[in-house]
């Protein structure tokens, strides 16, 4: 039941991950914006059933301990994360695995499930969105300045990154994700949702301050058989 922490080279970068459990069902935990396995999934690493599952939590490139490189947000950053995530699991010799993704990690998981259907067993996403509206951009700009964040949310990230990297990366994220709204339909991955064939469970917080509920309803409507 101990948690191992290691790095492995994937697609030219050294990705950090934590792993625990010995079950046949491999599960990858995908963190949200600025998050890491440790900050976003401490309780899951500790408490998920380690007889049933082998649990892997990763730090996407530029996040957590997967630095260098510094995090950037090219137009395809979600696709890049999806490829990194899948290639990480294959490098760790998992033939098939499930994805549990929250927020940006949920978007990454949706793309991975659509693009690599033979590798993904099941999919759970929460706080995810497949497009960006002008209203979303307004909400994102509300969190651009990290000095206005609540102490509870801010503290673990400042401890991990230092204030400067944390503040700069948050601003870069707001710019990067807001770019999707410049397209006519604000599309991130809407066209991929019908390609998701694995059992899919969508969770949404009624009071989610960053992702309006319509996003979860859209994803549910466009992934056949999702719950």
């Amino acid at each position: 039941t101990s948690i191992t922490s290691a790095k492995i080279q994937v697609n030219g970068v050294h990705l950090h991950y934590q792993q625990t459990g010995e079950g046949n069902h491999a599960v990858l935990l995908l963190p949200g914006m600025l998050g890491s396995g440790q900050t976003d999934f401490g309780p899951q690493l500790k408490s998920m059933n380690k007889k049933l599952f082998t649990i892997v939590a990763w730090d996407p490139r530029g996040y957590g301990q997967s630095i260098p490189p510094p995090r950037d947000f090219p137009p395809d950053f979600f696709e890049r994360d999806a490829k990194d995530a899948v290639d990480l699991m294959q490098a760790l010799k998992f033939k098939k695995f499930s994805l549990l993704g929250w927020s940006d990690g949920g978007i990454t998981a949706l793309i991975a499930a659509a693009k690599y259907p033979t590798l993904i067993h099941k999919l759970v996403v929460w706080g995810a969105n497949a497009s960006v509206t002008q209203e979303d951009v307004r909400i994102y700009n509300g969190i651009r300045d990290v000095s206005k964040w609540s102490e509870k949310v801010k503290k673990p990230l400042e401890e991990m990154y230092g204030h400067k990297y944390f503040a700069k990366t948050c601003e870069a994220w707001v710019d990067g994700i807001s770019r999707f709204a410049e397209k006519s339909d604000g599309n991130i991955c809407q066209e991929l949702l019908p390609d998701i064939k694995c059992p899919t469970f969508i969770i949404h917080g009624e009071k989610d301050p960053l992702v309006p509920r319509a996003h979860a309803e859209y994803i549910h409507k466009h992934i056949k058989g999702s719950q």
Side-chain angles (χ1 to χ4, degrees):
T1 57
S2 66
I3 299 171
T4 60
S5 173
K7 283 189 170 186
I8 188 167
Q9 188 164 350
V10 176
N11 300 326
V13 294
H14 289 91
L15 295 176
H16 176 261
Y17 68 95
Q18 291 165 285
Q19 184 174 330
T20 187
E22 66 229 335
N24 290 332
H25 189 157
V27 174
L28 177 65
L29 309 175
L30 298 96
M33 173 266 274
L34 279 163
S36 67
Q38 193 52 50
T39 54
D40 289 13
F41 294 116
Q44 287 78 8
L45 284 163
K46 193 171 150 213
S47 306
M48 274 179 77
N49 186 320
K50 299 188 181 187
K51 296 245 184 313
L52 282 181
F53 301 110
T54 296
I55 302 136
V56 179
W58 81 309
D59 299 354
R61 63 170 74 196
Y63 284 164
Q65 295 181 51
S66 294
I67 306 170
R71 182 71 183 184
D72 62 348
F73 298 94
D76 67 343
F77 74 90
F78 284 117
E79 282 82 5
R80 182 180 68 182
D81 282 350
K83 185 171 182 352
D84 281 348
V86 166
D87 291 350
L88 167 75
M89 291 300 276
Q90 291 203 292
L92 296 175
K93 303 284 188 277
F94 295 109
K95 289 189 171 61
K96 202 163 185 176
F97 46 92
S98 292
L99 302 172
L100 274 67
W102 110 265
S103 189
D104 274 14
I107 300 171
T108 301
L110 291 168
I111 293 169
K115 288 194 159 182
Y116 310 97
T118 57
L119 302 176
I120 309 307
H121 183 41
K122 294 181 177 181
L123 174 65
V124 182
V125 296
W126 60 108
N129 48 301
S131 65
V132 176
T133 66
Q134 290 303 329
E135 167 65 6
D136 294 329
V137 172
R138 193 186 64 74
I139 296 170
Y140 300 150
N141 276 304
I143 66 157
R144 176 185 286 276
D145 179 359
V146 298
S147 68
K148 294 181 181 153
W149 287 27
S150 78
E151 206 46 48
K152 183 180 170 225
V153 181
K154 187 166 64 175
K155 192 167 176 250
L157 292 167
E158 283 201 322
E159 282 172 2
M160 184 162 66
Y161 293 120
H163 178 77
K164 191 178 162 196
Y165 187 92
F166 169 45
K168 192 178 82 176
T169 308
C170 182
E171 287 185 10
W173 176 83
V174 172
D175 292 339
I177 197 152
S178 297
R179 245 183 262 123
F180 291 103
E182 292 162 13
K183 303 180 193 173
S184 57
D185 52 359
N187 177 47
I188 301 175
C189 62
Q190 290 170 313
E191 76 293 347
L192 292 175
L193 299 181
D195 296 341
I196 296 174
K197 301 292 188 254
C198 64
T200 300
F201 186 37
I202 298 145
I203 305 170
H204 201 75
E206 195 64 68
K207 298 179 180 176
D208 189 320
L210 216 55
V211 183
R213 177 181 168 162
H215 285 299
E217 288 166 352
Y218 182 95
I219 293 168
H220 174 41
K221 188 178 163 192
H222 289 88
I223 299 178
K224 203 177 162 199
S226 63
Q227 292 179 296

